[in-house]
């Protein structure tokens, strides 16, 4: 997963060259897709171009604010429509969007010829406790072992694949899981700086490396689940050291 901002102290849009490097890095480390959260900074077009050059896919995300209407505005549907026409359906593994708008957006996109899987993304606990959220084309869940409670970094893969994923598969049977391909774990990672969470979750470069290694090893054992590592690089503009330091590339892991 990648922010639309470069790794800087202020939110600064990534350039095409930076997206190209990001996609190359992802491909070189075995990632089959990159995920973006929103369409600001012309990110969908730039990321799609970079992904096409690298030969990987994009999981696109539409950011919905609490003030947005349930009727899909042009600002939301225009970017995926144009990208779909420019890069083709095969470039996209799916589209994630705010829950309420998700009810009307797939039909609207289909009406204008855009046919890609659509889902929402919530924490895995939220989906587990609200099975109505299973009613999308695939299940998209966030599952961070760091915040899972009682986990060390070396248990990150076990937490995701032996706790979160089985629960999602039970509540949402027959769905692809992005982090759960019937399902998708939309993001999972570990910070390298900041305070520990409870007693076991320590934020350090060594622990981040352990967590990524653990997730990689666990992912090999269940190919029914797609996992998006969080995140490409540190986001120094964020509010605290934990949130700033989930970056995998750029010197950490």
């Amino acid at each position: 997963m990648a922010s639309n901002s470069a790794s800087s102290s202020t939110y600064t849009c990534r350039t095409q060259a930076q997206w190209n490097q990001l996609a190359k890095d992802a491909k070189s480390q075995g990632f089959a897709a990159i995920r973006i959260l929103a369409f600001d900074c012309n990110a969908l077009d730039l990321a799609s171009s970079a992904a096409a050059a690298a030969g990987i896919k994009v999981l696109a995300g539409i950011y919905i604010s609490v003030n947005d209407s349930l009727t899909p505005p042009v600002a939301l549907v225009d970017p995926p429509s144009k990208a779909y026409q420019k890069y083709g359906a095969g470039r996209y593994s799916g589209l994630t969007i705010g829950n309420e708008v998700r009810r009307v957006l797939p039909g609207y996109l289909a009406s204008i010829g855009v046919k890609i899987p659509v889902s929402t993304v919530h924490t895995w606990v939220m989906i587990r406790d609200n099975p109505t959220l299973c009613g999308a084309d695939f299940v998209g869940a966030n599952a961070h072992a760091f915040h899972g409670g009682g986990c060390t970094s070396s248990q990150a893969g076990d937490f995701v694949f032996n706790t979160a994923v089985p629960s999602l598969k039970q509540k949402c049977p027959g769905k692809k899981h992005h982090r759960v391909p019937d399902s998708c774990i939309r993001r999972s990672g570990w910070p390298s700086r900041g305070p520990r969470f409870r007693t076991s979750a320590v934020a350090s470069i060594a622990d981040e490396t352990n967590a990524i290694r653990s997730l990689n090893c666990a992912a090999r054992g269940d190919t029914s689940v797609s996992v998006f590592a969080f995140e490409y690089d540190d986001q120094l503009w964020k509010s605290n050291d934990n949130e700033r330091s989930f970056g995998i590339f750029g010197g950490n892991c």
Side-chain angles (χ1 to χ4, degrees):
M1 177 178 158
S3 168
N4 295 346
S5 171
S7 182
S8 62
S9 59
T10 58
Y11 192 95
T12 305
C13 294
R14 291 191 199 274
T15 65
Q16 183 67 74
Q18 289 170 329
W19 278 112
N20 291 346
Q21 187 61 55
L22 184 155
K24 288 178 183 178
D25 289 342
K27 179 65 177 289
S28 72
Q29 294 301 311
F31 291 101
I34 55 176
R35 184 178 183 278
I36 63 171
L37 281 174
F39 297 156
D40 62 297
C41 298
N42 195 29
L44 183 57
D45 184 53
L46 298 181
S48 298
S49 175
I56 59 178
K57 294 189 176 186
V58 175
L59 176 64
I62 296 179
Y63 176 77
I64 303 294
S65 77
V66 294
N67 297 318
D68 281 330
S69 166
L70 298 187
T71 302
V74 172
L76 292 184
V77 299
D78 197 43
S81 176
K82 288 182 176 179
Y84 183 90
Q85 294 170 16
K86 184 175 182 180
Y87 299 102
R91 186 57 52 209
Y92 303 99
S93 60
L95 176 69
T96 60
I97 191 167
N99 182 50
E100 296 302 321
V101 178
R102 194 270 303 165
R103 297 177 184 177
V104 294
L105 186 64
Y108 180 82
L109 289 174
S111 74
I112 60 174
V114 179
K115 299 178 181 179
I116 57 177
V118 177
S119 184
T120 61
V121 174
H122 296 275
T123 66
W124 73 275
V125 172
M126 176 70 76
I127 297 172
R128 180 197 66 189
D129 295 344
N130 297 275
T132 55
L133 297 174
C134 299
D137 295 325
F138 63 90
V139 175
N142 295 339
H144 284 299
F146 183 79
H147 297 119
C151 291
T152 64
S153 57
S154 61
Q155 296 171 319
D158 181 73
F159 170 79
V160 169
F161 280 89
N162 292 327
T163 298
V165 168
S167 181
L168 290 168
K169 287 186 173 182
Q170 180 182 20
K171 294 294 183 178
C172 307
K175 290 287 182 178
K176 284 189 169 292
H177 297 73
H178 269 90
R179 176 51 174 195
V180 176
D182 289 347
S183 303
C184 163
I185 297 292
R186 186 200 68 156
R187 67 189 210 179
S188 191
W190 198 276
S192 64
R193 299 188 304 280
R196 69 175 62 208
F197 185 76
R198 297 183 180 173
T199 58
S200 301
V202 178
S204 72
I205 290 179
D207 282 285
E208 182 182 17
T209 303
N210 286 342
I212 297 301
R213 182 182 297 116
S214 177
L215 286 165
N216 282 345
C217 290
R220 294 192 187 108
D222 187 349
T223 56
S224 72
V225 176
S226 298
V227 178
F228 287 82
F230 183 79
E231 63 186 320
Y232 174 71
D233 52 9
D234 284 353
Q235 294 294 297
L236 305 179
W237 56 271
K238 290 186 176 181
S239 61
N240 62 70
D241 274 345
N242 280 158
E243 291 301 317
R244 295 182 191 113
S245 65
F246 276 84
I248 299 171
F249 292 88
N252 279 2
C253 293

